[in-house]
Each structure stands twice: as C-alpha cells, then as structure tokens.
Amino acid sequence: MALLDVENLEISIRFGHELLPVVRGVSFSVDENETLGIVGESGCGKSLTALAIMGLLEGSGVRVTGGRMRFGGRDLLAMSADERRHIMGNDMAMIFQEPMTSLNPVYRVGDQIIEALQQHRNLSRRAARRRAIELLDLVRIPEPDSRVDSFPHQLSGGQRQRVMIAMALSCDPKLLIADEPTTALDVTVQKEVLDLMLDLQKRTGTAIILISHDLGVIAETCNSVAVMYWGRLVETAPTDALFETLAHPYTRGLLHSIPAIDRDVDWLDAIPGRVPTIGEQIAGCPFHPRCPRAESRCRHEVPQPREIAPGHLVECHFPYGGDR
Ligand SMILES: Nc1ncnc2c1ncn2[C@@H]1O[C@H](COP(=O)(O)OP(=O)(O)OP(=O)(O)O)[C@@H](O)[C@H]1O
Ligand SMILES: [Mg+2]
C-alpha cells in the first residue's frame, strides 16, 4: 500500500444552488522516496487537488464530493477534524504557490518558523530558535544566525521560497506538496530550490508531490507524472515511459509549448483553443475541440482510462503509439 492513495477524487464548487464538479474523478498514489509531478494548464484543478489532500478546503465553498483518500492506510475523509489537523501539522506539509501570501509580512521569518515548531513539537523557545536557525542553514539561507531575524520583505524571492520550505520541513513531513514552488523565481534559483527538495528527500525519504505548468521541470525532478486536463488525469506514467511515448495529444501539446529560451512566449498559444470553463458541457472527449487527432468517435464517446503499458494509463481513443 502506498503512503498516499487517492481514488476517484471529485471536488465541486458551489455556484448559487448548484454544485459543479471541477476535479472529476482523479486517482493516483505516491510512496516514500517518490516524487510525483502533476502538470497541466491553469485552472485544471491542480491546487484544489493539493488543498483537498491537505484538508484545507473546509469553509471555502469548495468541497470533496466523491472518492477516497488514504494516508498511511487511514481514510482521510472519515477522520475527525482534530485527527486531520494532527496529520496536517505532523505528517504533511505544503509549499504554497505564492510565498508572500503564506508568510506573514509583519513577523520576522524566524518567529514564524519558531511558532510552527512550537505548535507541533514540544520545544522551549530557545530550542525552537536553535532549530529554526538549523533549518534556515539546511535550506541554504546565508548567515542564518542573523537572517532568522529578518522580515519577509528583506529577503529575495528565492530566499522567501526557501523559508517556506524550511517551515514545511519543521515537522519532518512524510509527504510534502509543493505547488508551483518555482514559477516566480528565475531559472537558476528554480533549479536550486528543486535540487534542495530532492536533496532533503534523499536524507529523509519524504514523498513529494510537485505541481507545475512546466513539463521540463517535471521531467528533471519526478519519478512519475500525472497530466491533468479539465479536472481529469488524462495520462499517468512513470516519467521515462511518459516521455518515450507522449501518448496523449494533450501531453504532446504541453511539451511542444515549453518555450525554448524565450520565456516571454505565452505557452498556451501552442495548444489551440482554450480550457473549457467549470460547468461547461462537452460531449465525448473533453479535449476533442482542441485535439489534432480528433475523429468523430471523440465527439461522442468519453474515453475511459486504459493501460497501454505497465503503469501507463491514457484517456484517449487514439493515443500516439496505439493502433488507429
Ligand atoms: N474558492 C474557489 N471558489 C470558486 N472557484 C474556485 C475556487 N478555487 C478554485 N476555483 C476554480 O477552480 C478551478 C481549478 O482551480 P485550481 O486552483 O485548482 O487550478 P490550478 O490547476 O491550480 O491552476 P493554476 O495553474 O492557475 O494554479 C479554476 O477554474 C478556479 O478558478
Ligand atoms: Mg494552482
């Protein structure tokens, strides 16, 4: 059994009297020492999936409306709020998309780490401060003894992201979810932050879920990949297998849309059309209006996931590498 097992997860958003599904039945698992990459265009449900695992959707008008999630064999959805909070504080941690929104600008970064440590570990303030400095050192913040007393705005974007990682690691999580941890950073700093996460994984065996727009980043970092489109995982595979075949036309589109050098290019342009909106009704395969391989069957029949190689699942009637 994997550390985290997500089965047929459905998440819906309340619009007036209606509950509209936005994550529409996704399944995946991740084990210790593994890194799973979730990739897909903006709005496809990546962050909501992460927040659902963390138990952070409560009270937001967004709810889990179906499926199962097990963590260490325990049913996350059947737990009391207290048990859930305990797991969130001790066994799971998340690095959020925008570090400035999750660091409090009016508190020194050290105090924020100390508070996290004191909440979850029974440490004196002195011991927590010592541990905070160690953590800042671990995430390679220079001069941690003095930086511990900095305010968030006194740090660079890369350093703030590292502080977030230090906070996430303060509880030695079994699972770390990193939601676009590097988009706001320049390429060199991106690489450093990712290397840092993998380094820590080598030391502690933490399972990582890395969410990104960038298939290139995922390729370099992850053991397996889940490609998300409009609330579905349309292709899931071990990284090598995925890149060998690129079976789903959407996955190919994502790959071709990675701008080589010029990051100003809007990569969405490379896949024609747009992601359907929440609540839109599309007959057949949800990707067919944008798909270069679509045939009449795709307009009428919803593709079911099928395994084209061990562990390689694709939701497409006419995947590349398959029979036509
Ligand atoms: N609290 C909310 N209320 C209403 N709609 C929401 C809420 N949170 C998310 N959504 C919508 O749900 C959809 C999925 O959102 P989500 O944040 O998971 O996308 P994402 O894949 O993380 O996108 P991005 O790559 O831009 O971060 C989006 O259309 C978003 O606008
Ligand atoms: Mg997001």
Side-chain angles (χ1 to χ4, degrees):
M1 189 197 312
L3 176 68
L4 174 74
D5 250 315
V6 174
E7 219 181 294
N8 222 0
L9 175 69
E10 189 186 285
I11 301 172
S12 305
I13 299 184
R14 182 170 291 289
F15 281 98
H17 294 298
E18 267 186 307
L19 265 181
L20 300 176
V22 354
V23 169
R24 301 176 307 116
V26 308
S27 304
F28 58 86
S29 60
V30 53
D31 221 332
E32 50 181 64
N33 283 307
E34 276 182 4
T35 304
L36 167 73
I38 302 183
V39 65
E41 280 166 290
S42 193
C44 68
K46 304 181 296 296
S47 294
L48 288 184
T49 302
L51 293 170
I53 296 167
M54 291 293 294
L56 291 173
L57 288 179
E58 256 42 60
S60 65
V62 185
R63 310 215 290 262
V64 172
T65 43
R68 295 217 309 189
M69 293 190 284
R70 292 162 148 312
F71 183 76
R74 298 173 64 201
D75 185 344
L76 286 174
L77 296 174
M79 278 178 194
S80 70
D82 274 354
E83 282 177 292
R84 198 70 199 271
R85 257 196 304 277
H86 183 83
I87 286 197
M88 186 174 78
N90 292 285
D91 298 329
M92 295 181 181
M94 180 159 167
I95 302 169
F96 292 90
Q97 214 160 345
E98 177 35 67
M100 244 352 226
T101 58
S102 22
L103 285 175
N104 191 327
V106 304
Y107 291 110
R108 298 175 197 277
V109 295
D111 289 341
Q112 299 187 51
I113 301 174
I114 290 166
E115 192 185 316
L117 280 167
Q118 286 192 306
Q119 256 174 31
H120 303 299
R121 296 271 178 272
N122 203 3
L123 291 179
S124 69
R125 183 153 175 102
R126 253 182 89 180
R129 185 180 162 90
R130 216 175 312 124
R131 180 73 185 135
I133 294 170
E134 268 171 32
L135 283 166
L136 290 179
D137 189 39
L138 193 70
V139 298
R140 301 190 210 118
I141 300 266
E143 298 159 36
D145 295 305
S146 54
R147 290 297 164 89
V148 71
D149 293 318
S150 306
F151 288 96
H153 71 265
Q154 294 172 319
L155 303 176
S156 69
Q159 288 174 343
R160 284 198 290 265
Q161 200 59 272
R162 283 155 200 259
V163 170
M164 285 301 304
I165 296 179
M167 278 178 76
L169 295 171
S170 63
C171 65
D172 298 319
K174 295 192 174 88
L175 173 70
L176 176 64
I177 304 182
D179 190 357
E180 305 269 12
T182 60
T183 6
L185 309 176
D186 75 51
V187 179
T188 346
V189 184
Q190 267 189 29
K191 177 117 187 36
E192 284 172 21
V193 168
L194 291 172
D195 285 348
L196 182 66
M197 284 174 30
L198 293 181
D199 223 49
L200 293 163
Q201 180 178 55
K202 266 195 214 116
R203 260 183 265 178
T204 58
T206 309
I208 298 177
I209 298 179
L210 175 67
I211 296 176
S212 177
H213 282 104
D214 190 334
L215 207 44
V217 166
I218 300 262
E220 283 173 33
T221 324
C222 299
N223 312 105
S224 56
V225 189
V227 180
M228 199 163 189
Y229 186 71
W230 201 46
R232 295 283 300 176
L233 296 186
V234 296
E235 183 166 6
T236 314
T239 307
D240 293 348
L242 186 105
F243 282 95
E244 202 176 292
T245 325
L246 296 166
H248 200 291
Y250 180 61
T251 310
R252 289 207 177 195
L254 284 181
L255 188 73
H256 292 144
S257 57
I258 296 170
I261 305 163
D262 185 355
R263 291 251 154 195
D264 293 341
V265 177
D266 181 0
W267 67 273
L268 287 176
D269 287 344
I271 306 174
R274 58 167 182 84
V275 185
T277 53
I278 298 168
E280 204 169 320
Q281 303 283 339
I282 297 178
C285 170
F287 188 60
H288 88 255
R290 305 174 73 188
C291 183
R293 282 165 84 82
E295 297 189 10
S296 111
R297 182 177 174 197
C298 309
R299 288 184 269 278
H300 305 295
E301 194 185 320
V302 181
Q304 299 303 312
R306 59 171 156 140
E307 196 165 17
I308 57 168
H312 192 162
L313 287 163
V314 187
E315 274 186 18
C316 175
H317 293 305
F318 304 110
Y320 290 98
D323 306 327
R324 272 190 86 94

